[in-house]
Amino acid sequence: MIGFAIHPRQRAVSADVAAKFVGMPVANLSDCMSRMTAGGPRLRPMHDGTYMAGPALTVRSRPGDNLMVHKALDVAAPGDVIVVDAGGDLTNAIIGEIMATYAKSRKLGGIVINGSIRDAGALRRSDFPVYAAGITHRGPYKDGPGEINCTIALDGMTIEPGDLILGDEDGLLCIPYADVEAVYEAGKAKNAAEEKTFANIAAGTHDTSWVDARLKALGCLKG
């Protein structure tokens, strides 16, 4: 039937690879990806801020409908991050406390909803990662259609099943499966450079001469 499909996932980043990224600032990794990838400013953490890292299990659902999200909770493997494109509509909540609790019991890595959640207080106190675009008390429909393990896009960020999904208090990032190791190495170098900068600030030796050099190059300063 058109609009209904459950596809097999062809590949996914491993749990060991995902674990290497835990704690790496999403902002730094985003810089390493030339600032060209982002999940959009509307998708914010609805939990206590615990870091999220795991392979994507993608869902495309009709706005306001969570039938395929329920199926995804049963299909997903431990560590998977369920990423739901519900069209960004905020009218009806796609998940709430019960579904998040069930996902945590199955040891999933987190849930991302391009749409609304409810039971916000309970989710906010939880360490189970949930990202969403909004909050509403109005519940979902359960009629479909929907697809599991298909290509989706959140605010221009394309996500393929099995790509690495990361989230911290700054938001979400998808690292394509083929780029994971390169981004990891670049992220380590970026983190080391920032640690050196903080050390220089503490020592009073932080060099900001680049600011005037840039302004001179732009014609704002003379000499």
Side-chain angles (χ1 to χ4, degrees):
M1 181 182 296
I2 294 174
F4 285 90
I6 301 174
H7 306 285
R9 189 168 61 182
Q10 301 300 320
R11 81 289 190 274
V13 295
S14 69
D16 290 341
V17 168
K20 294 195 304 183
F21 283 83
V22 173
M24 296 184 88
V26 167
N28 286 0
L29 296 167
S30 176
D31 285 353
C32 293
M33 297 175 72
S34 301
R35 303 177 176 91
M36 291 292 290
T37 301
R42 292 206 309 162
L43 293 170
R44 309 308 307 157
M46 298 291 174
H47 60 295
D48 70 355
T50 298
Y51 199 94
M52 181 176 70
L57 187 146
T58 60
V59 181
R60 181 185 292 118
S61 69
R62 181 168 65 94
D65 192 289
N66 74 355
L67 176 62
M68 278 302 194
V69 183
H70 279 281
K71 181 60 178 177
L73 291 176
D74 289 331
V75 171
D80 282 352
V81 174
I82 295 178
V83 187
V84 182
D85 182 8
D89 182 79
L90 305 182
T91 307
N92 299 79
I94 300 298
I95 70 161
E97 182 182 9
I98 290 176
M99 293 178 73
T101 300
Y102 179 54
K104 183 176 180 178
S105 77
R106 299 205 64 244
K107 303 186 185 305
L108 304 190
I111 301 177
V112 177
I113 304 291
N114 186 20
S116 284
I117 57 95
R118 66 178 178 178
D119 305 323
L123 297 187
R124 194 174 295 117
R125 293 186 293 270
S126 173
D127 62 357
F128 179 74
V130 174
Y131 288 77
I135 299 168
T136 180
H137 57 77
R138 191 174 182 179
Y141 302 102
K142 304 181 188 303
D143 304 306
E147 291 187 67
I148 294 176
N149 282 328
C150 56
T151 302
I152 62 173
L154 307 182
D155 202 20
M157 182 173 72
T158 302
I159 303 171
E160 299 280 356
D163 287 349
L164 179 62
I165 302 296
L166 303 175
D168 66 9
E169 292 176 327
D170 284 337
L172 292 166
L173 182 67
C174 174
I175 303 179
Y177 180 86
D179 297 336
V180 166
E181 285 302 326
V183 173
Y184 175 71
E185 293 300 327
K188 284 201 304 181
K190 174 75 171 177
N191 290 349
E194 287 204 348
E195 289 175 5
K196 183 176 181 180
T197 297
F198 286 125
N200 289 340
I201 291 172
T205 59
H206 182 50
D207 182 8
T208 61
S209 60
W210 69 269
V211 178
D212 283 353
R214 181 63 176 154
L215 290 172
K216 287 177 182 177
L218 294 169
C220 181
L221 294 179
K222 305 297 182 182

